[in-house]
Amino acid sequence: MDGTTDLQEDSCKKLFGEYPEDVIAPIKSAADGLAQLEEIFITIAREATDDRNGFRNGHRLGFRIKRLAEAGAYLAFDIGNCTGHQYETMLQRLVEQGIVSKRGAV
């Protein structure tokens, strides 16, 4: 690393108490976690309307669960997409400045 890069890395460490890669790592974790939640909600929505789940008092038991799960999946996808994009943008800026290498990406 050159002097400028060392100074930038030191500044990040002073400002955030962590190295640049570690500062943006939680964003990646959030995006990954939300992608997993999206899949869970999609599965719940499918299971809620499965014919094996039956009826009670003339109403399909899974309809409300399905709608809630679909809303959860949408929110998880949307927030996950946003945080994933933010992570990629921040990572690219760190790479462009020579603070981290692409191979050293979180």
PDB file of all heavy atoms in Angstrom, residues 52-87:
ATOM      1  N   ARG A  52     -53.471 -29.409   1.398  1.00  0.00           N
ATOM      2  CA  ARG A  52     -53.437 -30.248   2.603  1.00  0.00           C
ATOM      3  C   ARG A  52     -53.746 -29.461   3.875  1.00  0.00           C
ATOM      4  O   ARG A  52     -53.976 -30.042   4.922  1.00  0.00           O
ATOM      5  CB  ARG A  52     -52.055 -30.900   2.743  1.00  0.00           C
ATOM      6  CG  ARG A  52     -51.752 -31.886   1.622  1.00  0.00           C
ATOM      7  CD  ARG A  52     -50.335 -32.327   1.678  1.00  0.00           C
ATOM      8  NE  ARG A  52     -49.484 -31.204   1.289  1.00  0.00           N
ATOM      9  CZ  ARG A  52     -48.164 -31.248   1.215  1.00  0.00           C
ATOM     10  NH1 ARG A  52     -47.520 -32.345   1.518  1.00  0.00           N
ATOM     11  NH2 ARG A  52     -47.477 -30.201   0.833  1.00  0.00           N
ATOM     12  N   ASN A  53     -53.757 -28.123   3.803  1.00  0.00           N
ATOM     13  CA  ASN A  53     -53.985 -27.307   5.005  1.00  0.00           C
ATOM     14  C   ASN A  53     -55.468 -27.085   5.311  1.00  0.00           C
ATOM     15  O   ASN A  53     -55.804 -26.594   6.370  1.00  0.00           O
ATOM     16  CB  ASN A  53     -53.258 -25.969   4.894  1.00  0.00           C
ATOM     17  CG  ASN A  53     -51.761 -26.152   5.006  1.00  0.00           C
ATOM     18  OD1 ASN A  53     -51.285 -27.049   5.689  1.00  0.00           O
ATOM     19  ND2 ASN A  53     -51.015 -25.326   4.295  1.00  0.00           N
ATOM     20  N   GLY A  54     -56.351 -27.410   4.401  1.00  0.00           N
ATOM     21  CA  GLY A  54     -57.782 -27.455   4.663  1.00  0.00           C
ATOM     22  C   GLY A  54     -58.492 -26.136   4.923  1.00  0.00           C
ATOM     23  O   GLY A  54     -57.980 -25.068   4.687  1.00  0.00           O
ATOM     24  N   PHE A  55     -59.726 -26.270   5.475  1.00  0.00           N
ATOM     25  CA  PHE A  55     -60.620 -25.145   5.707  1.00  0.00           C
ATOM     26  C   PHE A  55     -61.084 -25.169   7.162  1.00  0.00           C
ATOM     27  O   PHE A  55     -61.086 -26.202   7.817  1.00  0.00           O
ATOM     28  CB  PHE A  55     -61.860 -25.260   4.810  1.00  0.00           C
ATOM     29  CG  PHE A  55     -61.574 -25.068   3.360  1.00  0.00           C
ATOM     30  CD1 PHE A  55     -61.123 -26.123   2.569  1.00  0.00           C
ATOM     31  CD2 PHE A  55     -61.767 -23.836   2.766  1.00  0.00           C
ATOM     32  CE1 PHE A  55     -60.868 -25.950   1.227  1.00  0.00           C
ATOM     33  CE2 PHE A  55     -61.526 -23.654   1.418  1.00  0.00           C
ATOM     34  CZ  PHE A  55     -61.067 -24.712   0.642  1.00  0.00           C
ATOM     35  N   ARG A  56     -61.526 -24.009   7.653  1.00  0.00           N
ATOM     36  CA  ARG A  56     -62.177 -23.932   8.953  1.00  0.00           C
ATOM     37  C   ARG A  56     -63.322 -22.924   8.802  1.00  0.00           C
ATOM     38  O   ARG A  56     -63.114 -21.819   8.321  1.00  0.00           O
ATOM     39  CB  ARG A  56     -61.203 -23.448  10.039  1.00  0.00           C
ATOM     40  CG  ARG A  56     -61.906 -23.410  11.409  1.00  0.00           C
ATOM     41  CD  ARG A  56     -61.012 -22.905  12.519  1.00  0.00           C
ATOM     42  NE  ARG A  56     -59.902 -23.817  12.724  1.00  0.00           N
ATOM     43  CZ  ARG A  56     -58.729 -23.431  13.200  1.00  0.00           C
ATOM     44  NH1 ARG A  56     -58.506 -22.160  13.485  1.00  0.00           N
ATOM     45  NH2 ARG A  56     -57.762 -24.301  13.383  1.00  0.00           N
ATOM     46  N   ASN A  57     -64.509 -23.329   9.208  1.00  0.00           N
ATOM     47  CA  ASN A  57     -65.695 -22.477   9.095  1.00  0.00           C
ATOM     48  C   ASN A  57     -65.871 -21.936   7.674  1.00  0.00           C
ATOM     49  O   ASN A  57     -66.245 -20.791   7.473  1.00  0.00           O
ATOM     50  CB  ASN A  57     -65.633 -21.313  10.090  1.00  0.00           C
ATOM     51  CG  ASN A  57     -65.617 -21.797  11.514  1.00  0.00           C
ATOM     52  OD1 ASN A  57     -66.203 -22.825  11.851  1.00  0.00           O
ATOM     53  ND2 ASN A  57     -64.938 -21.065  12.376  1.00  0.00           N
ATOM     54  N   GLY A  58     -65.557 -22.771   6.706  1.00  0.00           N
ATOM     55  CA  GLY A  58     -65.759 -22.376   5.314  1.00  0.00           C
ATOM     56  C   GLY A  58     -64.673 -21.474   4.758  1.00  0.00           C
ATOM     57  O   GLY A  58     -64.775 -21.022   3.624  1.00  0.00           O
ATOM     58  N   HIS A  59     -63.648 -21.162   5.545  1.00  0.00           N
ATOM     59  CA  HIS A  59     -62.572 -20.280   5.067  1.00  0.00           C
ATOM     60  C   HIS A  59     -61.260 -21.054   4.961  1.00  0.00           C
ATOM     61  O   HIS A  59     -60.957 -21.885   5.806  1.00  0.00           O
ATOM     62  CB  HIS A  59     -62.372 -19.098   6.020  1.00  0.00           C
ATOM     63  CG  HIS A  59     -63.569 -18.219   6.120  1.00  0.00           C
ATOM     64  ND1 HIS A  59     -63.940 -17.363   5.126  1.00  0.00           N
ATOM     65  CD2 HIS A  59     -64.489 -18.084   7.109  1.00  0.00           C
ATOM     66  CE1 HIS A  59     -65.034 -16.721   5.486  1.00  0.00           C
ATOM     67  NE2 HIS A  59     -65.392 -17.152   6.691  1.00  0.00           N
ATOM     68  N   ARG A  60     -60.542 -20.740   3.949  1.00  0.00           N
ATOM     69  CA  ARG A  60     -59.232 -21.351   3.760  1.00  0.00           C
ATOM     70  C   ARG A  60     -58.318 -20.855   4.877  1.00  0.00           C
ATOM     71  O   ARG A  60     -58.169 -19.661   5.102  1.00  0.00           O
ATOM     72  CB  ARG A  60     -58.668 -20.935   2.413  1.00  0.00           C
ATOM     73  CG  ARG A  60     -57.510 -21.754   1.974  1.00  0.00           C
ATOM     74  CD  ARG A  60     -57.684 -22.027   0.478  1.00  0.00           C
ATOM     75  NE  ARG A  60     -56.690 -22.866  -0.094  1.00  0.00           N
ATOM     76  CZ  ARG A  60     -56.517 -24.142   0.176  1.00  0.00           C
ATOM     77  NH1 ARG A  60     -57.250 -24.737   1.068  1.00  0.00           N
ATOM     78  NH2 ARG A  60     -55.615 -24.848  -0.430  1.00  0.00           N
ATOM     79  N   LEU A  61     -57.698 -21.763   5.601  1.00  0.00           N
ATOM     80  CA  LEU A  61     -56.860 -21.407   6.746  1.00  0.00           C
ATOM     81  C   LEU A  61     -55.636 -20.584   6.348  1.00  0.00           C
ATOM     82  O   LEU A  61     -55.218 -19.711   7.093  1.00  0.00           O
ATOM     83  CB  LEU A  61     -56.393 -22.676   7.478  1.00  0.00           C
ATOM     84  CG  LEU A  61     -57.464 -23.493   8.168  1.00  0.00           C
ATOM     85  CD1 LEU A  61     -56.856 -24.743   8.770  1.00  0.00           C
ATOM     86  CD2 LEU A  61     -58.127 -22.662   9.254  1.00  0.00           C
ATOM     87  N   GLY A  62     -55.093 -20.831   5.199  1.00  0.00           N
ATOM     88  CA  GLY A  62     -53.822 -20.216   4.853  1.00  0.00           C
ATOM     89  C   GLY A  62     -53.886 -18.894   4.130  1.00  0.00           C
ATOM     90  O   GLY A  62     -52.853 -18.294   3.870  1.00  0.00           O
ATOM     91  N   PHE A  63     -55.073 -18.382   3.802  1.00  0.00           N
ATOM     92  CA  PHE A  63     -55.144 -17.169   2.977  1.00  0.00           C
ATOM     93  C   PHE A  63     -54.465 -15.974   3.640  1.00  0.00           C
ATOM     94  O   PHE A  63     -53.661 -15.285   3.026  1.00  0.00           O
ATOM     95  CB  PHE A  63     -56.599 -16.835   2.630  1.00  0.00           C
ATOM     96  CG  PHE A  63     -56.705 -15.625   1.755  1.00  0.00           C
ATOM     97  CD1 PHE A  63     -56.317 -15.684   0.427  1.00  0.00           C
ATOM     98  CD2 PHE A  63     -57.173 -14.432   2.263  1.00  0.00           C
ATOM     99  CE1 PHE A  63     -56.397 -14.566  -0.381  1.00  0.00           C
ATOM    100  CE2 PHE A  63     -57.250 -13.298   1.463  1.00  0.00           C
ATOM    101  CZ  PHE A  63     -56.866 -13.374   0.133  1.00  0.00           C
ATOM    102  N   ARG A  64     -54.787 -15.710   4.888  1.00  0.00           N
ATOM    103  CA  ARG A  64     -54.196 -14.562   5.585  1.00  0.00           C
ATOM    104  C   ARG A  64     -52.694 -14.765   5.763  1.00  0.00           C
ATOM    105  O   ARG A  64     -51.899 -13.841   5.580  1.00  0.00           O
ATOM    106  CB  ARG A  64     -54.865 -14.360   6.936  1.00  0.00           C
ATOM    107  CG  ARG A  64     -54.294 -13.165   7.642  1.00  0.00           C
ATOM    108  CD  ARG A  64     -55.242 -12.631   8.684  1.00  0.00           C
ATOM    109  NE  ARG A  64     -54.673 -11.391   9.156  1.00  0.00           N
ATOM    110  CZ  ARG A  64     -54.509 -11.077  10.412  1.00  0.00           C
ATOM    111  NH1 ARG A  64     -54.945 -11.869  11.337  1.00  0.00           N
ATOM    112  NH2 ARG A  64     -53.961  -9.943  10.751  1.00  0.00           N
ATOM    113  N   ILE A  65     -52.300 -15.977   6.128  1.00  0.00           N
ATOM    114  CA  ILE A  65     -50.877 -16.287   6.280  1.00  0.00           C
ATOM    115  C   ILE A  65     -50.152 -16.050   4.959  1.00  0.00           C
ATOM    116  O   ILE A  65     -49.073 -15.469   4.918  1.00  0.00           O
ATOM    117  CB  ILE A  65     -50.676 -17.736   6.758  1.00  0.00           C
ATOM    118  CG1 ILE A  65     -51.240 -17.896   8.169  1.00  0.00           C
ATOM    119  CG2 ILE A  65     -49.215 -18.132   6.705  1.00  0.00           C
ATOM    120  CD1 ILE A  65     -51.340 -19.332   8.638  1.00  0.00           C
ATOM    121  N   LYS A  66     -50.785 -16.469   3.876  1.00  0.00           N
ATOM    122  CA  LYS A  66     -50.186 -16.291   2.553  1.00  0.00           C
ATOM    123  C   LYS A  66     -49.962 -14.810   2.263  1.00  0.00           C
ATOM    124  O   LYS A  66     -48.875 -14.413   1.828  1.00  0.00           O
ATOM    125  CB  LYS A  66     -51.072 -16.909   1.478  1.00  0.00           C
ATOM    126  CG  LYS A  66     -50.547 -16.730   0.066  1.00  0.00           C
ATOM    127  CD  LYS A  66     -51.530 -17.302  -0.948  1.00  0.00           C
ATOM    128  CE  LYS A  66     -51.057 -17.142  -2.361  1.00  0.00           C
ATOM    129  NZ  LYS A  66     -51.011 -15.771  -2.838  1.00  0.00           N
ATOM    130  N   ARG A  67     -50.949 -13.990   2.526  1.00  0.00           N
ATOM    131  CA  ARG A  67     -50.811 -12.552   2.241  1.00  0.00           C
ATOM    132  C   ARG A  67     -49.745 -11.914   3.115  1.00  0.00           C
ATOM    133  O   ARG A  67     -48.971 -11.082   2.654  1.00  0.00           O
ATOM    134  CB  ARG A  67     -52.155 -11.859   2.428  1.00  0.00           C
ATOM    135  CG  ARG A  67     -53.135 -12.369   1.367  1.00  0.00           C
ATOM    136  CD  ARG A  67     -54.263 -11.507   1.059  1.00  0.00           C
ATOM    137  NE  ARG A  67     -53.853 -10.187   0.642  1.00  0.00           N
ATOM    138  CZ  ARG A  67     -54.696  -9.172   0.560  1.00  0.00           C
ATOM    139  NH1 ARG A  67     -55.955  -9.355   0.847  1.00  0.00           N
ATOM    140  NH2 ARG A  67     -54.289  -7.995   0.187  1.00  0.00           N
ATOM    141  N   LEU A  68     -49.672 -12.290   4.375  1.00  0.00           N
ATOM    142  CA  LEU A  68     -48.642 -11.758   5.267  1.00  0.00           C
ATOM    143  C   LEU A  68     -47.252 -12.211   4.822  1.00  0.00           C
ATOM    144  O   LEU A  68     -46.297 -11.422   4.821  1.00  0.00           O
ATOM    145  CB  LEU A  68     -48.907 -12.183   6.711  1.00  0.00           C
ATOM    146  CG  LEU A  68     -50.127 -11.548   7.377  1.00  0.00           C
ATOM    147  CD1 LEU A  68     -50.421 -12.243   8.702  1.00  0.00           C
ATOM    148  CD2 LEU A  68     -49.902 -10.056   7.589  1.00  0.00           C
ATOM    149  N   ALA A  69     -47.143 -13.472   4.446  1.00  0.00           N
ATOM    150  CA  ALA A  69     -45.858 -13.995   3.986  1.00  0.00           C
ATOM    151  C   ALA A  69     -45.423 -13.308   2.692  1.00  0.00           C
ATOM    152  O   ALA A  69     -44.239 -13.001   2.514  1.00  0.00           O
ATOM    153  CB  ALA A  69     -45.934 -15.503   3.795  1.00  0.00           C
ATOM    154  N   GLU A  70     -46.371 -13.058   1.797  1.00  0.00           N
ATOM    155  CA  GLU A  70     -46.036 -12.350   0.555  1.00  0.00           C
ATOM    156  C   GLU A  70     -45.551 -10.938   0.850  1.00  0.00           C
ATOM    157  O   GLU A  70     -44.593 -10.463   0.236  1.00  0.00           O
ATOM    158  CB  GLU A  70     -47.246 -12.313  -0.377  1.00  0.00           C
ATOM    159  CG  GLU A  70     -47.556 -13.645  -1.007  1.00  0.00           C
ATOM    160  CD  GLU A  70     -48.879 -13.654  -1.758  1.00  0.00           C
ATOM    161  OE1 GLU A  70     -49.711 -12.737  -1.580  1.00  0.00           O
ATOM    162  OE2 GLU A  70     -49.076 -14.608  -2.534  1.00  0.00           O
ATOM    163  N   ALA A  71     -46.190 -10.264   1.815  1.00  0.00           N
ATOM    164  CA  ALA A  71     -45.744  -8.917   2.202  1.00  0.00           C
ATOM    165  C   ALA A  71     -44.343  -8.976   2.807  1.00  0.00           C
ATOM    166  O   ALA A  71     -43.488  -8.141   2.502  1.00  0.00           O
ATOM    167  CB  ALA A  71     -46.728  -8.299   3.189  1.00  0.00           C
ATOM    168  N   GLY A  72     -44.104  -9.962   3.664  1.00  0.00           N
ATOM    169  CA  GLY A  72     -42.776 -10.132   4.248  1.00  0.00           C
ATOM    170  C   GLY A  72     -41.721 -10.409   3.201  1.00  0.00           C
ATOM    171  O   GLY A  72     -40.616  -9.865   3.247  1.00  0.00           O
ATOM    172  N   ALA A  73     -42.049 -11.257   2.236  1.00  0.00           N
ATOM    173  CA  ALA A  73     -41.103 -11.574   1.161  1.00  0.00           C
ATOM    174  C   ALA A  73     -40.789 -10.330   0.340  1.00  0.00           C
ATOM    175  O   ALA A  73     -39.635 -10.086  -0.015  1.00  0.00           O
ATOM    176  CB  ALA A  73     -41.669 -12.669   0.256  1.00  0.00           C
ATOM    177  N   TYR A  74     -41.812  -9.532   0.060  1.00  0.00           N
ATOM    178  CA  TYR A  74     -41.595  -8.302  -0.707  1.00  0.00           C
ATOM    179  C   TYR A  74     -40.672  -7.347   0.050  1.00  0.00           C
ATOM    180  O   TYR A  74     -39.721  -6.806  -0.520  1.00  0.00           O
ATOM    181  CB  TYR A  74     -42.934  -7.615  -1.011  1.00  0.00           C
ATOM    182  CG  TYR A  74     -42.737  -6.249  -1.612  1.00  0.00           C
ATOM    183  CD1 TYR A  74     -42.423  -6.119  -2.959  1.00  0.00           C
ATOM    184  CD2 TYR A  74     -42.825  -5.101  -0.840  1.00  0.00           C
ATOM    185  CE1 TYR A  74     -42.208  -4.867  -3.522  1.00  0.00           C
ATOM    186  CE2 TYR A  74     -42.610  -3.849  -1.386  1.00  0.00           C
ATOM    187  CZ  TYR A  74     -42.302  -3.731  -2.730  1.00  0.00           C
ATOM    188  OH  TYR A  74     -42.088  -2.494  -3.270  1.00  0.00           O
ATOM    189  N   LEU A  75     -40.940  -7.147   1.322  1.00  0.00           N
ATOM    190  CA  LEU A  75     -40.106  -6.242   2.123  1.00  0.00           C
ATOM    191  C   LEU A  75     -38.672  -6.764   2.242  1.00  0.00           C
ATOM    192  O   LEU A  75     -37.718  -6.000   2.113  1.00  0.00           O
ATOM    193  CB  LEU A  75     -40.708  -6.038   3.510  1.00  0.00           C
ATOM    194  CG  LEU A  75     -42.016  -5.254   3.545  1.00  0.00           C
ATOM    195  CD1 LEU A  75     -42.617  -5.293   4.944  1.00  0.00           C
ATOM    196  CD2 LEU A  75     -41.785  -3.813   3.102  1.00  0.00           C
ATOM    197  N   ALA A  76     -38.523  -8.059   2.486  1.00  0.00           N
ATOM    198  CA  ALA A  76     -37.185  -8.648   2.586  1.00  0.00           C
ATOM    199  C   ALA A  76     -36.427  -8.489   1.267  1.00  0.00           C
ATOM    200  O   ALA A  76     -35.247  -8.138   1.261  1.00  0.00           O
ATOM    201  CB  ALA A  76     -37.276 -10.123   2.982  1.00  0.00           C
ATOM    202  N   PHE A  77     -37.115  -8.730   0.152  1.00  0.00           N
ATOM    203  CA  PHE A  77     -36.479  -8.566  -1.156  1.00  0.00           C
ATOM    204  C   PHE A  77     -36.070  -7.124  -1.383  1.00  0.00           C
ATOM    205  O   PHE A  77     -34.939  -6.839  -1.791  1.00  0.00           O
ATOM    206  CB  PHE A  77     -37.428  -9.021  -2.269  1.00  0.00           C
ATOM    207  CG  PHE A  77     -36.914  -8.673  -3.640  1.00  0.00           C
ATOM    208  CD1 PHE A  77     -35.935  -9.454  -4.237  1.00  0.00           C
ATOM    209  CD2 PHE A  77     -37.390  -7.563  -4.303  1.00  0.00           C
ATOM    210  CE1 PHE A  77     -35.442  -9.119  -5.489  1.00  0.00           C
ATOM    211  CE2 PHE A  77     -36.903  -7.229  -5.554  1.00  0.00           C
ATOM    212  CZ  PHE A  77     -35.928  -8.001  -6.151  1.00  0.00           C
ATOM    213  N   ASP A  78     -36.969  -6.202  -1.120  1.00  0.00           N
ATOM    214  CA  ASP A  78     -36.717  -4.792  -1.388  1.00  0.00           C
ATOM    215  C   ASP A  78     -35.562  -4.257  -0.536  1.00  0.00           C
ATOM    216  O   ASP A  78     -34.638  -3.625  -1.046  1.00  0.00           O
ATOM    217  CB  ASP A  78     -37.996  -3.976  -1.143  1.00  0.00           C
ATOM    218  CG  ASP A  78     -37.893  -2.575  -1.696  1.00  0.00           C
ATOM    219  OD1 ASP A  78     -37.422  -2.413  -2.843  1.00  0.00           O
ATOM    220  OD2 ASP A  78     -38.281  -1.634  -0.974  1.00  0.00           O
ATOM    221  N   ILE A  79     -35.605  -4.523   0.757  1.00  0.00           N
ATOM    222  CA  ILE A  79     -34.547  -4.039   1.648  1.00  0.00           C
ATOM    223  C   ILE A  79     -33.238  -4.766   1.354  1.00  0.00           C
ATOM    224  O   ILE A  79     -32.168  -4.154   1.350  1.00  0.00           O
ATOM    225  CB  ILE A  79     -34.969  -4.185   3.125  1.00  0.00           C
ATOM    226  CG1 ILE A  79     -36.187  -3.296   3.404  1.00  0.00           C
ATOM    227  CG2 ILE A  79     -33.816  -3.810   4.061  1.00  0.00           C
ATOM    228  CD1 ILE A  79     -36.859  -3.571   4.738  1.00  0.00           C
ATOM    229  N   GLY A  80     -33.303  -6.068   1.087  1.00  0.00           N
ATOM    230  CA  GLY A  80     -32.111  -6.822   0.741  1.00  0.00           C
ATOM    231  C   GLY A  80     -31.467  -6.314  -0.541  1.00  0.00           C
ATOM    232  O   GLY A  80     -30.244  -6.199  -0.632  1.00  0.00           O
ATOM    233  N   ASN A  81     -32.291  -6.003  -1.516  1.00  0.00           N
ATOM    234  CA  ASN A  81     -31.791  -5.464  -2.776  1.00  0.00           C
ATOM    235  C   ASN A  81     -31.108  -4.121  -2.551  1.00  0.00           C
ATOM    236  O   ASN A  81     -30.020  -3.860  -3.077  1.00  0.00           O
ATOM    237  CB  ASN A  81     -32.945  -5.333  -3.770  1.00  0.00           C
ATOM    238  CG  ASN A  81     -32.476  -5.001  -5.161  1.00  0.00           C
ATOM    239  OD1 ASN A  81     -31.502  -5.555  -5.647  1.00  0.00           O
ATOM    240  ND2 ASN A  81     -33.175  -4.089  -5.814  1.00  0.00           N
ATOM    241  N   CYS A  82     -31.723  -3.281  -1.754  1.00  0.00           N
ATOM    242  CA  CYS A  82     -31.169  -1.958  -1.456  1.00  0.00           C
ATOM    243  C   CYS A  82     -29.831  -2.078  -0.715  1.00  0.00           C
ATOM    244  O   CYS A  82     -28.854  -1.422  -1.082  1.00  0.00           O
ATOM    245  CB  CYS A  82     -32.170  -1.154  -0.627  1.00  0.00           C
ATOM    246  SG  CYS A  82     -31.606   0.504  -0.223  1.00  0.00           S
ATOM    247  N   THR A  83     -29.779  -2.915   0.324  1.00  0.00           N
ATOM    248  CA  THR A  83     -28.539  -3.050   1.080  1.00  0.00           C
ATOM    249  C   THR A  83     -27.459  -3.738   0.245  1.00  0.00           C
ATOM    250  O   THR A  83     -26.281  -3.386   0.348  1.00  0.00           O
ATOM    251  CB  THR A  83     -28.739  -3.807   2.409  1.00  0.00           C
ATOM    252  OG1 THR A  83     -29.325  -5.072   2.162  1.00  0.00           O
ATOM    253  CG2 THR A  83     -29.594  -3.024   3.372  1.00  0.00           C
ATOM    254  N   GLY A  84     -27.848  -4.681  -0.593  1.00  0.00           N
ATOM    255  CA  GLY A  84     -26.883  -5.329  -1.482  1.00  0.00           C
ATOM    256  C   GLY A  84     -26.270  -4.334  -2.455  1.00  0.00           C
ATOM    257  O   GLY A  84     -25.053  -4.335  -2.688  1.00  0.00           O
ATOM    258  N   HIS A  85     -27.094  -3.472  -3.001  1.00  0.00           N
ATOM    259  CA  HIS A  85     -26.608  -2.439  -3.920  1.00  0.00           C
ATOM    260  C   HIS A  85     -25.680  -1.471  -3.184  1.00  0.00           C
ATOM    261  O   HIS A  85     -24.634  -1.089  -3.705  1.00  0.00           O
ATOM    262  CB  HIS A  85     -27.780  -1.689  -4.544  1.00  0.00           C
ATOM    263  CG  HIS A  85     -27.353  -0.525  -5.377  1.00  0.00           C
ATOM    264  ND1 HIS A  85     -26.716  -0.685  -6.584  1.00  0.00           N
ATOM    265  CD2 HIS A  85     -27.428   0.804  -5.157  1.00  0.00           C
ATOM    266  CE1 HIS A  85     -26.438   0.514  -7.085  1.00  0.00           C
ATOM    267  NE2 HIS A  85     -26.862   1.425  -6.230  1.00  0.00           N
ATOM    268  N   GLN A  86     -26.059  -1.082  -1.987  1.00  0.00           N
ATOM    269  CA  GLN A  86     -25.231  -0.169  -1.198  1.00  0.00           C
ATOM    270  C   GLN A  86     -23.873  -0.793  -0.895  1.00  0.00           C
ATOM    271  O   GLN A  86     -22.843  -0.139  -0.989  1.00  0.00           O
ATOM    272  CB  GLN A  86     -25.948   0.198   0.103  1.00  0.00           C
ATOM    273  CG  GLN A  86     -25.267   1.305   0.881  1.00  0.00           C
ATOM    274  CD  GLN A  86     -25.323   2.648   0.191  1.00  0.00           C
ATOM    275  OE1 GLN A  86     -26.102   2.865  -0.725  1.00  0.00           O
ATOM    276  NE2 GLN A  86     -24.497   3.557   0.612  1.00  0.00           N
ATOM    277  N   TYR A  87     -23.874  -2.081  -0.552  1.00  0.00           N
ATOM    278  CA  TYR A  87     -22.621  -2.794  -0.287  1.00  0.00           C
ATOM    279  C   TYR A  87     -21.728  -2.775  -1.523  1.00  0.00           C
ATOM    280  O   TYR A  87     -20.540  -2.461  -1.442  1.00  0.00           O
ATOM    281  CB  TYR A  87     -22.903  -4.234   0.146  1.00  0.00           C
ATOM    282  CG  TYR A  87     -21.651  -5.084   0.166  1.00  0.00           C
ATOM    283  CD1 TYR A  87     -20.747  -4.984   1.221  1.00  0.00           C
ATOM    284  CD2 TYR A  87     -21.369  -5.945  -0.876  1.00  0.00           C
ATOM    285  CE1 TYR A  87     -19.584  -5.740   1.225  1.00  0.00           C
ATOM    286  CE2 TYR A  87     -20.210  -6.706  -0.877  1.00  0.00           C
ATOM    287  CZ  TYR A  87     -19.319  -6.598   0.172  1.00  0.00           C
ATOM    288  OH  TYR A  87     -18.166  -7.331   0.163  1.00  0.00           O
TER     289      TYR A  87
END
